[in-house]
Amino acid sequence: VQLQASGGGLVQPGGSLRLSCTASRNSGDDVGWYRQAPGKQRELVAGITSGGVSSYKDSVKGRFTISRDNAKNTVYLQMNSLKPEDTAVYYCNAGTYVGIYYYPGNYWGQGTQVTVSS
């Protein structure tokens, strides 16, 4: 499956963006959104199971919302109240949840840059 990520951009602190991750086909996978800031490791920000159960990194809880539209093979990441520390390249991934743990698969979107700055 191929994943296409989009929706990044430059936004002021406190602003919002919605990222989209569209798959080339309905794979029924769980999906995770990761981010990687310069000089830092890639980290899981939010994930959603094929059944729609979501989970979040503590630092984005209450600000980010992950959702999916299976009819469109698309997973969204709505990001509100953005902070400069949210600046990173955001990637989507098709993987698997085992319990509460997300295991990334081999399929990654190309990444979309999110910059939060005044």
Side-chain angles (χ1 to χ4, degrees):
V1 62
Q2 292 183 323
L3 302 175
Q4 180 77 30
S6 61
L10 173 63
V11 63
Q12 293 186 341
S16 298
L17 284 173
R18 188 177 79 159
L19 306 184
S20 298
C21 175
T22 301
S24 56
R25 59 177 174 81
N26 185 358
S27 63
D29 288 312
D30 303 333
V31 173
W33 276 103
Y34 285 75
R35 68 185 180 190
Q36 187 168 20
K40 295 188 177 181
Q41 288 190 332
R42 192 173 295 190
E43 61 180 4
L44 179 65
V45 175
I48 188 166
T49 68
S50 58
V53 177
S54 59
S55 63
Y56 301 91
K57 179 180 174 62
D58 284 348
S59 62
V60 307
K61 283 181 180 178
R63 300 189 298 122
F64 290 12
T65 303
I66 190 170
S67 62
R68 65 191 300 157
D69 184 338
N70 290 332
K72 296 182 178 179
N73 298 337
T74 299
V75 172
Y76 303 99
L77 185 66
Q78 177 68 43
M79 305 186 296
N80 299 327
S81 302
L82 282 162
K83 304 176 180 180
E85 51 263 43
D86 295 318
T87 296
V89 179
Y90 284 70
Y91 301 88
C92 58
N93 172 266
T96 303
Y97 267 101
V98 179
I100 63 172
Y101 298 102
Y102 182 83
Y103 291 87
N106 295 324
Y107 302 107
W108 293 88
Q110 82 283 11
T112 184
Q113 176 71 48
V114 171
T115 303
V116 185
S117 175
S118 55

